[in-house]
Amino acid sequence: MVQIGTREGAPEVIGTELLAVGVYRGESPPEPLAGAAAPAVESGDFSGKEGETVLLYGNGGLSAARLLLLGLGERGSFTLEKLRRAAATTAKKARDTGLREAVLVPPVSEGADVRSAAQAAAEGAALGLYRFTRYKTRGSGGSEGQEDGAADRELERFDLASADGNSAEALAQGAATGAATGAAALLARDLANEPASTATPEYLAETARGISARYGMETTILDRAAIEQEGLRGLATVGRSSSQEPRFIVLEHRGGGDEAPVVLVGKAITFDSGGISIKPAAGMENMKFDMGGGAAVLGTMEAVGALGLPLNVVALVPATENLPAGDAYKPGDVLTLHSGTSVEVISTDAEGRLILADALSYARRYSPAAVVDCATLTGACIVALGRHASGLMGNDEDLVAEVQAAGETAGERAWPLPLFEEYTEQIKGDTADIKNAGGRNAGALTAGAFLKEFADYPWAHLDVAGTAFGDTSPNAYTPKGASGNPARLLVEFLQARAQQNGEVGE
Ligand code: BES
Ligand code: MN
Ligand code: ZN
């Protein structure tokens, strides 16, 4: 994995294989880089348009072997998200050129927050360089459109250089944070990209044990018998027909004394065939990603440990396959879930809400300050928001706003959707208290309304069906396949909470 750090010294004296410098539209890089860039800028070949790059050689005045001009677009509309993408573009360009290391001078305007900029740049590089190559024997993992061969070499170092020495410490802190938040998303991607026959519920449990061993967290893993014993009937029932045993994974990070914890819940259906209400064959391979929520929660815990966040954080990951078999649960069955609520099964393909309901009522024992769940829950959410935002619902306006803000900062957008009483009406049961599907209309919201029945604390729900994975690459730092979303949103949410606590405590 690429090492991300910082380099000191003025850009022109940094010895590196590639020095990248951002240029706003219609501008030139600062002196003395301006001289080297002049022919490209003056000829009009390079205009500073967002995403544009030009690689220059033979720059007598510079210690760097190559100078990469990076278009940043209009100065006035530059954002951290654009910086994340620019850093990804730089890192991939260096790698695909066959280089071992590169240095980026992150554009930080005067008075701007150097630390946040460095974090965004480090994240962009780490995320952009990601490839899932475990099963490639023929070397071709290059970025899209890349030829075989050189593309398979990995970049070893990516450094940020500060233009003014004063910011060196903020730059280093930001780079370290960005490396940690990036790593959270990369772990989530790796878990989700892994085929379902490997990434089983026990595989996720093993990953959780690894995290807890690294950072001294508490782990509790319930197996099939313990899940039954605990009354997690939704999880036990969905998992009944699979020869892979279900797991209920609990990870507890204690960094906040005796404060009420934040509980994170992640749906981990390691493969969703739909069960007896079986899905069409086309695209079913994508249902290995149906544990993307759980993967993001585990990734988040990795970052929580690495950053040593001064908060109590509990992760709950109900994990199982959803398969048809002779002993599978059936449409029409009635289950009494962990909370005591009875549910009529309309569709065995609405399995996510059953296992999440159990986790949400299990969370009550912590008297949590807040609970955030994330799940690839409904196709309807993809219809509503596409891949551009996660659906965000909840029972507490402030918490919903907090989650939305964290998503905006992280570049993992989430957009609020309503949970009107009418959606709850749609899932009122005939045979049981409620039913697990509310008809075609407002599918993301009836799913949210279902979960709301089990949350008796401040709660927010992220439907990440459209954002956790996809078969195209949505931006320079997100390849096709698993995105890791919403791991960085969750880390940002927790960091912001930790910081708030700190300020209140001062
Ligand atoms: N895992 C799916 C939702 C999903 C679909 C995620 C496509 C990502 C891409 C979920 O378990 C599901 O099947 N939901 C059903 C619910 C319906 C039966 C009420 C759906 O969305 O069709
Ligand atoms: Mn399903
Ligand atoms: Zn599912």
Side-chain angles (χ1 to χ4, degrees):
M1 199 154 68
V2 65
Q3 294 292 310
I4 296 178
T6 56
R7 293 276 296 267
E8 294 201 29
E12 64 275 18
V13 303
I14 292 180
T16 172
E17 294 179 37
L18 181 144
L19 180 75
V21 62
V23 183
Y24 295 108
R25 184 168 200 131
E27 300 186 14
S28 280
E31 282 299 347
L33 304 179
V41 173
E42 281 159 19
S43 64
D45 292 4
F46 177 84
S47 67
K49 202 175 79 181
E50 193 184 329
E52 192 182 14
T53 55
V54 169
L55 188 55
L56 304 172
Y57 299 85
N59 309 295
L62 306 183
S63 303
R66 298 168 189 79
L67 178 65
L68 181 72
L69 303 182
L70 263 178
L72 302 176
E74 301 297 333
R75 179 184 280 272
S77 55
F78 193 66
T79 58
L80 289 181
E81 176 63 9
K82 291 185 184 180
L83 175 52
R84 223 172 258 123
R85 295 176 187 192
T89 301
T90 302
K92 288 194 289 187
K93 184 81 186 167
R95 176 189 65 196
D96 296 345
T97 305
L99 309 182
R100 300 280 172 189
E101 53 83 35
V103 176
L104 169 68
V105 186
V108 184
S109 31
E110 233 165 303
D113 180 354
V114 178
R115 207 182 147 146
S116 304
Q119 179 180 340
E123 281 177 2
L127 294 165
L129 290 170
Y130 176 82
R131 298 188 282 207
F132 186 68
T133 51
R134 227 182 133 173
Y135 297 101
K136 292 274 193 186
T137 64
R138 300 190 178 168
S140 66
S143 6
E144 271 156 288
Q146 196 66 36
E147 292 298 316
D148 296 3
D152 287 331
R153 284 172 65 174
E154 294 297 341
L155 199 69
E156 287 160 16
R157 279 207 70 84
F158 185 85
D159 288 312
L160 304 175
S162 70
D164 79 84
N166 297 332
S167 61
E169 180 161 337
L171 198 72
Q173 285 174 349
T177 305
T181 54
L186 298 193
L187 173 57
R189 285 181 185 178
D190 268 343
L191 291 172
N193 281 326
E194 191 64 35
S197 290
T198 316
T200 60
E202 173 53 22
Y203 182 96
L204 297 181
E206 200 47 46
T207 303
R209 286 187 200 101
I211 295 168
S212 90
R214 272 197 289 290
Y215 304 111
M217 297 177 187
E218 197 76 42
T219 345
T220 310
I221 312 278
L222 307 187
D223 62 9
R224 182 173 262 150
I227 288 166
E228 300 260 9
Q229 180 73 29
E230 181 59 44
L232 299 165
R233 175 79 25 188
L235 179 59
T237 303
V238 175
R240 190 167 73 203
S241 49
S242 167
S243 54
Q244 291 295 338
E245 273 205 27
R247 294 284 183 263
F248 188 73
I249 301 166
V250 184
L251 256 181
E252 299 175 14
H253 166 83
R254 297 218 177 84
D258 34 71
E259 270 170 34
V262 173
V263 177
L264 305 177
V265 177
K267 169 180 171 180
I269 296 291
T270 57
F271 188 76
D272 184 10
S273 72
I276 296 299
S277 313
I278 200 161
K279 288 180 181 295
M284 206 200 273
E285 68 279 10
N286 280 336
M287 284 299 109
K288 72 171 182 177
F289 296 117
D290 207 23
M291 34 63 78
V297 166
L298 292 177
T300 300
M301 293 308 279
E302 173 73 34
V304 164
L307 295 167
L309 288 191
L311 276 183
N312 293 325
V313 186
V314 177
L316 302 177
V317 180
T320 179
E321 297 189 320
N322 183 25
L323 294 182
D327 57 349
Y329 80 127
K330 305 167 187 73
D333 283 358
V334 173
L335 320 176
T336 301
L337 299 181
H338 185 260
S339 68
T341 298
S342 63
V343 180
E344 179 175 2
V345 176
I346 301 300
S347 169
T348 64
D349 197 13
E351 82 298 336
R353 63 198 75 183
L354 299 174
I355 69 168
L356 289 169
D358 278 348
L360 290 175
S361 63
Y362 186 95
R364 293 177 188 173
R365 72 190 57 199
Y366 296 102
S367 304
V371 176
V372 181
D373 80 72
C374 56
T376 47
L377 204 60
T378 66
C381 193
I382 314 178
V383 174
L385 296 169
R387 293 199 59 200
H388 311 299
S390 302
L392 171 57
M393 288 146 261
N395 61 7
D396 183 290
E397 261 180 54
D398 293 341
L399 180 61
V400 166
E402 205 180 326
V403 172
Q404 185 179 7
E408 202 56 48
T409 305
E412 292 187 329
R413 204 188 265 147
W415 205 256
L417 300 170
L419 288 184
F420 301 134
E421 207 26 61
E422 285 82 350
Y423 300 123
T424 305
E425 285 303 316
Q426 263 178 262
I427 54 159
K428 283 273 151 72
D430 305 318
T431 307
D433 300 337
I434 53 176
K435 51 190 182 187
N436 79 335
R440 268 180 54 82
N441 291 343
L445 308 174
T446 51
F450 183 97
L451 298 180
K452 187 172 171 222
E453 295 291 307
F454 303 90
D456 64 354
Y457 36 65
W459 158 78
H461 159 60
L462 286 162
D463 191 331
V464 297
T467 53
F469 69 94
D471 41 25
T472 54
S473 159
N475 58 48
Y477 65 81
T478 313
K480 61 184 172 187
S483 66
N485 193 311
R488 289 183 307 108
L489 175 157
L490 293 174
V491 177
E492 175 59 37
F493 168 79
L494 295 171
Q495 275 187 299
R497 279 221 155 198
Q499 197 174 350
Q500 252 169 23
N501 280 356
E503 280 159 15
V504 172
E506 265 161 28

